[in-house]
């Protein structure tokens, strides 16, 4: 069935998103000739291809959260940058540590940093641990996400950010009993193994409902004298601030403070600033605007391309989970 309007819609989207037909062919594991049938000839994609294509053309917006003490949140908002986490310096002794190893030296000179989000804004434990015992705030990021459709990689992309390999990849952290097992020779050639290490944590951290954004250091916006690495692009998606139940100021105070920042830098987006309160019936911290984001809110890829050969290895792609 020929549909020239659909063809024009795809062309418009490719131009707007700064992509091309090669990008579609790569992400859908198709030949450019197959893609030409959609883009140039107006042939309708199969139902499965169309559903997946629509997920790319219409990104889903999901809310993710970062808990901070107010003084650190003010620093983030004033300087308009957020510190990445060095894989070698975390508060989890087992972080990035493969099985049968007692010392983590693999990520000491990592090319990546991570920015850690939570899918929950209602966790009393998170407010207590990371937001100065409820006296801090929770920064809200509304992220337009699409599935990353490359075989063997189960993550999402954030629209309008760099699309370098393994950069701006948003992962759901996996909580497991056993640590990641590496072969005797560390496989630097296989990014998938490195990914597994970077997103696998002990089950005791499950309460965090963590998602991680992998960021290439070369795309950092700045550094400081202590060697900390900062990223600014992600702040374009800041959409709100939730104040802790013990926050020392009212909403008007924070609104006025933020307005002054906007006068200094008009690029800062409009955001919603809301109070939180203790749920009358549940062990939850609630607010009237922002809510926990279930995994079902994220787009998923339905297509399972044929197995491919990479470096002599057979790779069997799986669904995003």
């Amino acid at each position: 069935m020929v549909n020239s309007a659909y063809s024009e819609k795809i062309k418009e989207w490719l131009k707007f998103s700064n992509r091309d037909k090669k990008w579609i062919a790569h992400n859908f594991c198709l030949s450019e000739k197959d893609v030409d049938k959609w883009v140039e000839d107006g042939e309708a994609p199969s139902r499965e291809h169309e559903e997946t294509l629509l997920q790319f053309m219409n990104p889903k917006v999901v809310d993710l959260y970062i808990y901070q003490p107010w003084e650190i949140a003010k620093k983030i908002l004033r300087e308009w940058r957020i510190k990445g986490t060095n894989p070698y310096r975390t508060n989890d002794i087992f972080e990035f540590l493969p099985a049968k190893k007692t010392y983590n030296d693999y990520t000491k000179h990592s090319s990546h940093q991570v920015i850690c989000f939570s899918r929950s804004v209602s966790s009393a434990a998170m407010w207590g641990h990371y937001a100065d015992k409820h006296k801090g705030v929770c920064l809200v990021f509304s992220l337009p996400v699409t599935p990353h459709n490359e075989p063997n990689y189960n993550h999402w992309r954030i629209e309008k950010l760099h699309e370098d390999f393994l950069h701006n990849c948003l992962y759901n952290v996996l909580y497991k009993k056993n640590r990641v097992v590496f072969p005797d020779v560390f496989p630097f050639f296989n990014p998938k193994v490195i990914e597994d290490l970077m997103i696998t944590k002990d089950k005791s951290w499950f309460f965090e409902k963590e998602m991680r954004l992998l960021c290439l250091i070369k795309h950092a916006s700045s550094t400081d004298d202590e060697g900390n690495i900062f990223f600014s692009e992600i702040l374009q998606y800041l959409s709100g601030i939730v104040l802790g139940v013990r926050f020392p100021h009212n909403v008007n105070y924070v609104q006025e403070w933020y307005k002054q920042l906007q006068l200094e830098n008009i690029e800062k987006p409009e955001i919603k600033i809301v109070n939180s309160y203790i749920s009358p019936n549940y062990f939850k911290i609630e607010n009237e605007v922002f809510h926990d984001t279930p995994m079902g809110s994220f787009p998923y890829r339905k297509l399972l391309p044929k197995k491919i050969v990479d470096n002599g290895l057979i790779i069997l792609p799986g669904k995003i989970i």
Side-chain angles (χ1 to χ4, degrees):
M1 180 178 176
V2 176
N3 188 336
S4 58
Y6 195 87
S7 174
E8 290 304 314
K9 189 175 181 180
I10 295 176
K11 287 180 182 178
E12 264 184 54
W13 169 71
L14 287 174
K15 184 177 180 180
F16 174 77
S17 62
N18 198 28
R19 295 178 173 125
D20 55 24
K21 291 183 288 186
K22 287 184 179 179
W23 186 92
I24 296 180
H26 175 74
N27 279 273
F28 283 74
C29 297
L30 297 170
S31 68
E32 288 188 50
K33 187 180 292 186
D34 289 329
V35 177
D36 271 335
K37 293 178 183 178
W38 305 348
V39 182
E40 305 298 341
D41 302 336
E43 183 176 313
S46 68
R47 182 176 178 180
E48 289 77 16
H49 281 112
E50 183 178 20
E51 286 184 10
T52 305
L53 186 59
L54 286 173
Q55 290 184 84
F56 285 104
M57 295 172 71
N58 302 286
K60 280 192 175 183
V61 177
V62 296
D63 289 337
L64 295 180
Y65 307 98
I66 297 180
Y67 295 83
Q68 295 286 1
W70 175 230
E71 289 303 316
I72 294 179
K74 284 197 295 185
K75 183 178 175 67
I76 291 171
L77 297 173
R78 187 183 299 114
E79 298 178 357
W80 209 242
R81 62 181 190 172
I82 193 164
K83 185 166 73 74
T85 298
N86 186 328
Y88 193 60
R89 301 174 185 173
T90 69
N91 59 355
D92 179 4
I93 195 66
F94 291 105
E95 191 81 82
F96 306 102
L97 187 65
K100 300 181 181 178
K101 303 293 181 181
T102 57
Y103 175 68
N104 177 358
D105 196 37
Y106 297 122
T107 54
K108 190 172 184 178
H109 305 292
S110 173
S111 60
H112 287 76
Q113 300 269 297
V114 295
I115 297 177
C116 303
F117 300 90
S118 174
R119 288 186 286 109
S120 175
V121 69
S122 66
S123 168
M126 292 291 284
W127 278 103
H129 280 294
Y130 298 113
D132 193 18
K133 300 178 182 178
H134 302 267
K135 297 191 291 289
V137 302
C138 192
L139 302 178
V140 184
F141 293 82
S142 296
L143 305 173
V145 296
T146 58
H148 180 49
N149 229 35
E150 187 171 343
N152 210 42
Y153 293 96
N154 290 328
H155 55 260
W156 295 265
R157 291 283 191 186
I158 299 175
E159 287 294 288
K160 298 183 182 179
L161 299 187
H162 291 283
E163 285 198 70
D164 289 359
F165 183 63
L166 290 188
H167 179 64
N168 288 329
C169 303
L170 184 64
Y171 290 87
N172 187 40
V173 169
L174 305 177
Y175 300 97
K176 297 184 177 180
K177 180 179 180 180
N178 298 321
R179 286 149 61 187
V180 175
V181 177
F182 278 2
D184 293 335
V185 179
F186 185 68
F188 285 104
F189 65 91
N190 191 341
K192 183 65 176 71
V193 179
I194 299 173
E195 282 186 328
D196 288 342
L197 184 64
M198 296 185 86
I199 65 170
T200 303
K201 295 188 70 170
D202 170 28
K203 283 186 174 181
S204 64
W205 296 94
F206 179 78
F207 73 96
E208 293 184 335
K209 295 183 179 178
E210 183 180 347
M211 299 199 75
R212 289 183 168 176
L213 180 64
L214 269 61
C215 301
L216 272 172
I217 290 175
K218 72 177 185 178
H219 290 311
S221 58
S222 56
T223 59
D224 64 16
D225 294 338
E226 298 177 1
N228 295 311
I229 297 172
F230 298 88
F231 299 87
S232 295
E233 275 189 308
I234 193 65
L235 283 161
Q236 68 184 287
Y237 297 117
L238 181 71
S239 61
I241 301 176
V242 181
L243 310 181
V245 294
R246 294 174 178 166
F247 189 75
H249 307 288
N250 60 31
V251 167
N252 289 336
Y253 170 89
V254 181
Q255 287 174 335
E256 290 302 315
W257 180 86
Y258 186 72
K259 282 180 182 177
Q260 288 301 313
L261 293 185
Q262 287 181 302
L263 291 175
E264 298 167 13
N265 184 346
I266 60 174
E267 293 184 0
K268 287 183 169 60
E270 292 294 328
I271 62 175
K272 296 178 181 177
I273 301 172
V274 299
N275 283 316
S276 61
Y277 58 91
I278 296 174
S279 170
N281 299 311
Y282 306 105
F283 292 106
K284 294 175 65 176
I285 304 299
E286 299 184 339
N287 70 86
E288 300 296 338
V289 178
F290 302 105
H291 308 284
D292 291 2
T293 301
M295 283 305 301
S297 299
F298 287 80
Y300 60 94
R301 63 177 286 201
K302 297 184 69 173
L303 298 176
L304 294 180
K306 297 176 182 178
K307 64 184 179 182
I308 60 174
V309 178
D310 182 27
N311 294 327
L313 300 175
I314 300 295
I315 297 176
L316 296 175
K319 289 185 179 179
I320 287 176
I321 55 174

